[in-house]
Amino acid sequence: MRDSYYSASALDFLNSSDESVLGELARSHHHALEHEQRFAWIKQIEILKRVLASTPDAHVFLEFSVPRMGKRADAVVLHCGMVIVLEFKVNSASFDRAAIEQVHDYALDLKNFHLGSHSLPILPVLIATRAEARLQQPRWATDLVSAPVLIGPNGLADTLALQRPPAARHDHIDVAAWRASGYRPTPTIIEAAEALYRSHAVEEISRSDAGAKNLQATAGRIAEVIEESKRDQFKSICFITGVPGAGKTLAGLNIAAKRAKRHEDEHAVFLSGNGPLVDVLREALARDQNSREKIALGEARRRVRTFVQNIHHFRDHYLDRDEVPFEKVVVFDEAQRAWTAGQATNFMKKRGYDDFDKSEPEFLISVMDRHRDWCTVICLIGGGQEINTGEAGLMEWLTALKDRFPGWRVHASSLLEDRHYTASSEAKTLLAAPNIVKHPDLHLAVSMRSFRAEQLSAFVGQMLDGDASGAKHSLAAMGGRYPIVVSRDLARVRSWLRSMARGSERLGLVASSGGYRLRPEGIHVKAKIEPATWFLNDRLDVRSSYYLEEVATQFDIQGLELDWAGVCWDADLRWIDAAWQFHAFKGTKWQQVRDETKRLYLLNAYRVLLTRARQGMAIFVPTGDRDDPTRPPAFYDGTYEFLLRCGAVQLEDQ
């Protein structure tokens, strides 16, 4: 994929006619060229030629691609060791918030994901062509990304003449090396879904470094299984494992999107029992299509339902019908969360199905087994992700295959027997069956959610295992790229999150659904959020995550992510006497949790909360209240001290 529509040294750009530059832009556009776009390009070329006459050693890119965002910056100029990102607002005399945020996002994207820009100062510049604003001095952050500079066209020459910041190490950029360095984006799951739905290839929106290449290897292995099933007319099931944030959902969406677009006879679909994830993805896709294609929002919402569906709606559709499914390829996200026979039977009885006696995995496989020829089921299995009563884990899938569907061919991740994915000895015994083929490339080993800290999942795992020294070592190995701070003051946590987030980076507060005694701190976990509003609406909406008022629980946020998270830690999980203690608040007091499964759910709830942030997090641990028997300081002090031993930094020391 080309990095820009047009690229040239400033000297060659100056010596080219406006018509030839415009012609190259139009040839690369691949869309009907509207008069407004043509006029904007003409104006930009005019302004750039005027100011670049004094900097002939610069290099200019027009319509520079920002793959993760699916957009293009108007211009990027390399000059005197700086990357200068230019965004023009033609015929505008003002600087609106969205435009400021957009050019800042472009600069941050280059800093975080473009290898050649990691160590370079990046200056985002917004030019309103009718504004009189002159040069502002840049405000450089510690990572050498300036806050956006807002100018009129007459201020651009002075901006290009700026000296690079003192911390900059280079006074010259090798243009060829910079271009060849590679773009390694790690999109949010919402950005990835939007790009895949627009028929982008996963390679265009995901990292390409060696540590993340198994995302593509996994997709290749699944495609191979599907093609074999189709060719030889048999039914198959694949189990994909992965660490939190490794891209399991991205892999699943990619499979569904690719098969749906290129193999229309297969009717691939992505199914998830995670209601908030389905709601957020559907709304994001619909809003994106509404904005890009001017399709009515209601119609866009109707269309996306065929791409992303709620697994329970899929199940309910086939309860009263014997019809063969429309879909040949089905991706089940978070398959370990499917219901046990007991949970499913109890639920169905409440709905009048007294004779329903199957686990959810058994019923879902039986539906796909109605195909007479072939089908492929892909199960995405997360480690340590079961957070709800009645979730089956892996055991029910394996039991159903052994007892009811022995003819199905089973392909599994070679890590499926690991304790994070298979808790029971019975499941491990079933996995030893000779008909189960193991594949290393069905495991996604590297976290891509937190692009600054691939050791984050290891850090969280060690912390929840009670291994403070191991956690501290893992955090140190991140080299300061992923800040984790802890405070007893929620106001300080909110302030820190707001200070860290730049551009449109999303921040929010999260807490355990059992954190009932956070209420005196103003955190009401019983007050349900509207996930699509919380995750998608902008910082002006009081219901959005940006406001840091409404709090999301593990049920709201599992499978989704923030850039910066404020994790609010209550006394349901507390570190006392060198061990985690587990409690649930019932009525007016805390009660100890003795059931091992419920203890696991509580640990996993915090695992989910602690792995949601891509760039860093602040952990709030209340001080408690000596006069409140439900919140004595002793319930919280041990946890706070343990987090410090794990390497978290006191926010007050920042």
Side-chain angles (χ1 to χ4, degrees), residues 171-466:
D171 59 5
H172 173 74
I173 299 173
D174 182 326
V175 176
W178 186 83
R179 295 185 74 177
S181 65
Y183 194 93
R184 299 177 177 177
T186 55
T188 67
I189 195 59
I190 293 170
E191 292 165 340
E194 289 173 349
L196 292 169
Y197 194 60
R198 294 195 297 262
S199 300
H200 285 255
V202 72
E203 292 82 0
E204 296 177 17
I205 60 169
S206 63
R207 288 165 28 181
S208 57
D209 54 303
K213 277 188 175 175
N214 69 327
L215 178 63
Q216 294 169 35
T218 299
R221 175 65 66 187
I222 293 295
E224 184 180 291
V225 171
I226 293 172
E227 291 303 324
E228 286 179 358
S229 302
K230 188 188 227 179
R231 183 190 66 229
D232 299 338
Q233 300 286 285
F234 61 81
K235 296 159 189 172
S236 57
I237 186 167
C238 301
F239 293 99
I240 297 175
T241 58
V243 300
K248 295 182 296 297
T249 302
L250 173 58
L253 286 167
N254 179 49
I255 292 162
K258 188 175 289 187
R259 306 307 296 191
K261 298 287 183 184
R262 300 182 188 176
H263 307 269
E264 293 184 6
D265 59 316
E266 294 175 3
H267 307 294
V269 66
F270 179 88
L271 299 176
S272 176
N274 183 340
L277 176 69
V278 171
D279 292 345
V280 171
L281 288 181
R282 278 183 170 179
E283 184 64 16
L285 294 176
R287 290 185 189 185
D288 183 58
Q289 191 170 42
N290 166 256
S291 173
R292 286 183 301 102
E293 302 178 21
K294 309 306 178 189
I295 295 172
L297 191 55
E299 172 62 15
R301 286 171 175 153
R302 186 191 64 77
R303 291 186 184 185
V304 302
R305 289 194 189 105
T306 62
F307 178 54
V308 178
Q309 293 183 31
N310 191 303
I311 195 170
H312 301 307
H313 297 168
F314 178 88
R315 175 201 65 203
D316 292 351
H317 177 82
Y318 291 103
L319 273 173
D320 298 315
R321 298 173 175 84
D322 293 326
E323 68 188 70
V324 176
F326 185 62
E327 300 82 5
K328 288 279 197 176
V329 176
V330 172
V331 180
F332 290 136
D333 191 30
E334 296 178 0
Q336 78 283 352
R337 297 185 63 190
W339 288 348
T340 61
Q343 181 77 1
T345 299
N346 289 337
F347 179 80
M348 291 303 175
K349 282 182 178 177
K350 294 176 184 176
R351 301 180 59 188
Y353 296 92
D354 293 334
D355 57 349
F356 190 92
D357 59 355
K358 301 180 179 69
S359 68
E360 201 165 36
E362 181 181 342
F363 179 73
L364 293 170
I365 297 173
S366 73
V367 169
M368 295 304 293
D369 195 57
R370 296 175 189 177
H371 285 288
R372 292 182 176 274
D373 45 9
W374 75 276
C375 66
T376 299
V377 170
I378 298 108
C379 294
L380 309 179
I381 307 287
Q385 299 287 294
E386 299 92 343
I387 58 176
N388 232 337
T389 301
E391 291 180 351
L394 181 64
M395 186 64 190
E396 295 283 2
W397 290 95
L398 297 173
T399 302
L401 288 164
K402 175 179 174 291
D403 295 344
R404 289 283 316 280
F405 309 101
W408 280 54
R409 300 192 188 180
V410 183
H411 299 265
S413 156
S414 57
L415 266 288
L416 201 58
E417 294 177 33
D418 185 89
R419 67 184 180 88
H420 289 102
Y421 307 103
T422 306
S424 69
S425 58
E426 295 94 331
K428 290 181 180 179
T429 300
L430 291 174
L431 281 170
N435 66 316
I436 298 181
V437 182
K438 306 289 177 55
H439 303 277
D441 49 14
L442 290 184
H443 177 68
L444 297 166
V446 180
S447 175
M448 298 198 303
R449 173 181 298 125
S450 47
F451 55 86
R452 292 182 176 179
E454 291 174 350
Q455 290 99 339
L456 177 64
S457 60
F459 165 80
V460 172
Q462 289 159 336
M463 187 167 69
L464 294 177
D465 286 343

Side-chain angles (χ1 to χ4, degrees), residues 56 128 134 142 202 408 499 592 602:
R134 307 297 295 184
T142 55
V202 72
W408 280 54
S499 72
Q592 193 167 356
L602 184 51

